[in-house]
Amino acid sequence: MARMQFPEAPASDPVPALPSKPSLGRITLFASGDFACNLYWQSLSFFLLFFYTDALRLSPAVAGLVLLVGSIWDGIADLLVGIHAERSRRDYRWFLTAGAVPLGLGFVLLYVAPPLEGAALAAAVLALHLLFRALYAFVNIPYSAMTARITGDSSQRAQISGLRMLFGTAAALVVALGTERIAVLAPGGLAATGSYLAAALLFGVVGAALLLVVGRGSPAARGQGQAGIPVLAAMRVLVRNRAFVTLNLAMAGVGMAATALTRSVLYYFHYVVGDAAGGPAALAMMGFAGAVFVPLWMAIGTRTGMRALWFASALLGIATIAVFAGMGRANVSTTQLFLVVMQAALVGFNLVFWAMLPDTVEYGEHRVGVRVEALGFGVSALVQKFAFGIAAGLMGVVYQLAGYQPDAVQTPETVAGIRWVMLLMPALCFALSALVMWANPLRRGAHAAIVADLAARPKGD
């Protein structure tokens, strides 16, 4: 097929072949960066909305709006960082070392309780939220894009994705248990601002230190992109990349489902089940379950292909929701079991997404003749952050309409609203994601054939 024409890269900046496979030790060190990133991200996912409503006493609508605006800004920041990293001659590792300490500080500020009220409090919280999101984008987009550079082997990319998820789920376990344990020691528990700030200080120091180590010790990842490609032209490459578009739209649905599920946990246990302590315990169990299911999904995905694993995860999630919804209001243990199985489904989705996303780089290069890396990861993050923000905003609206009041006995209408946000939204989003993934062309063996064809093409073709 005819390919789009772009300015050629300068002769002094050739596009080398993908690097040979790095050692297991080097990719494990690289993957450990997800432990640091998820100390921040899982805290935001698990606790930030609850912190806003029950510690800072923002209304659910205002809290949801802060998260929605933050997600939109985060997506824009992701795109800008992706553009900069794509055009920069710096090694992607530089972004990790330069941004590690500022990101840790920004995370701590996220849980500072400004001595303000009303609109001034909301404005201060939003400003701190936007600062953290920008710093996170500066580090996380180049870090994620490194997967497409440090190896061109699809199976090793899946291995890297699995290792990253293991570190990420370990971080989720640490965040859930650590925040809850710190809250037990602090007066006021999870409703006290000091509990969150103490946890944030600990996680911020650990995350910053680890990112510095990862930035200095990961495999080299420079020189793979093509310099001189106009941004709009590169965006057109992504739009024509059917593998990239369908994967990201499918993951947007999963992101909305995950947001509705995980951010409902504390509310569900506190106000529906009637056991506030069960929420952090359930989050910890979900983190542990994630670590257990990653190797299982990796083994299954190796046999069936990653695309087929997506459909298996969707079926598992929808069936689990149907069974749990049919039970009516469940007790602590049944709800925790439901969340563990749902986490297993989310792990499957995430493994497929992070394993396939780097493969869409070669798919686009094969179809159009131009390699787009960091910008693609930036656009991908923008899509996902928009999905997270929309889901959080919808949660705030539903809670507000249902009459949610913090630290109060909720009405039957409010209880029903909390319950159906956690069940109906994920079920619908899982089904839509499966329909979109059906159009994804990266079936089993397709990427290997693409890489072989790219290697066989004459230089400059």
Side-chain angles (χ1 to χ4, degrees), residues 2 49 76 87 214 237 254 306 317 345 380 394-395 402 431:
L49 181 60
I76 295 171
R87 300 171 69 86
V214 172
V237 172
V254 173
M306 287 296 168
S380 178
L394 286 174
M395 283 186 65

Side-chain angles (χ1 to χ4, degrees), residues 175-189:
V175 167
L177 287 177
T179 305
E180 190 268 339
R181 293 294 184 271
I182 291 172
V184 168
L185 299 176

Side-chain angles (χ1 to χ4, degrees), residues 189-285:
L190 285 175
T193 58
S195 301
Y196 296 95
L197 183 58
L201 284 167
L202 175 62
F203 300 152
V205 170
V206 173
L210 181 55
L211 284 173
L212 286 172
V213 173
V214 172
R216 294 179 181 275
S218 294
R222 65 181 304 169
Q224 294 294 326
Q226 290 180 214
I229 304 173
V231 172
L232 291 180
M235 292 290 288
R236 289 197 297 270
V237 172
L238 295 177
V239 170
R240 294 183 60 183
N241 187 331
R242 184 157 61 98
F244 177 84
V245 171
T246 54
L247 179 64
N248 278 279
L249 290 178
M251 193 60 195
V254 173
M256 292 185 67
T259 299
L261 182 74
T262 57
R263 289 184 175 167
S264 295
V265 170
L266 296 180
Y267 297 98
Y268 193 90
F269 274 91
H270 195 160
Y271 300 111
V272 180
V273 177
D275 182 359
L283 292 172
M285 293 175 67

Side-chain angles (χ1 to χ4, degrees), residues 448-460:
I450 288 171
V451 171
D453 187 61
L454 287 173
R457 285 181 177 179
K459 187 175 181 181

Side-chain angles (χ1 to χ4, degrees), residues 10 43 46 53 103 194 214 223 276 280 283 287 329 334 380 460:
S43 178
F46 292 165
T53 59
L103 176 58
V214 172
L283 292 172
R329 189 181 300 185
T334 305
S380 178

